[in-house]
Amino acid sequence: MADQPRRPRTLGDARTEAEAAFKKVTAKVAAAPPKQNAVPGIKEQVTLRIDQDVLAFFQEGGPGWQDRINEALRKGRGEVGAARSASAKKKPGASRALS
């Protein structure tokens, strides 16, 4: 391929490049939206993979098995006697001792 002569820069090209460089340096980056803090009592739906025998253990107690799993996770996290969610407080017998 034959070398083609370079086109001389014009004032318009230099100005365009300068404006582009200025905009790049001075452009404000949009801030990420603030992360919402977890509100006590609000539950979030998640997908969790656990062993079948563990699931069977919690489900054999009947309704409220998800609350019992949540309570066991809180105990595992070190929140012994921690406040439970509002929905678990409303259900009598929703929690049982896990030994």
Side-chain angles (χ1 to χ4, degrees):
M1 183 166 133
D3 289 330
Q4 296 182 354
R6 288 184 153 189
R7 196 178 83 190
R9 289 185 130 175
T10 61
L11 180 60
D13 290 339
R15 177 175 286 156
T16 303
E17 287 180 16
E19 286 176 354
F22 180 77
K23 286 181 182 178
K24 185 176 181 180
V25 173
T26 60
K28 294 182 181 178
V29 178
K35 185 177 179 184
Q36 296 179 355
N37 293 332
V39 179
I42 302 293
K43 296 194 178 189
E44 184 173 345
Q45 183 176 349
V46 297
T47 300
L48 179 67
R49 293 180 183 271
I50 56 177
D51 294 333
Q52 289 179 347
D53 60 327
V54 174
L55 181 61
F57 171 78
F58 285 101
Q59 287 182 333
E60 70 188 19
W65 62 271
Q66 292 168 324
D67 292 327
R68 290 189 293 275
I69 290 176
N70 196 38
E71 186 176 334
L73 290 171
R74 285 185 181 281
K75 284 182 181 179
R77 198 171 92 172
E79 292 185 27
V80 178
R84 295 183 344 230
S85 68
S87 63
K89 290 180 183 176
K90 293 178 184 176
K91 297 178 185 176
S95 63
R96 66 174 196 189
L98 299 173
S99 301

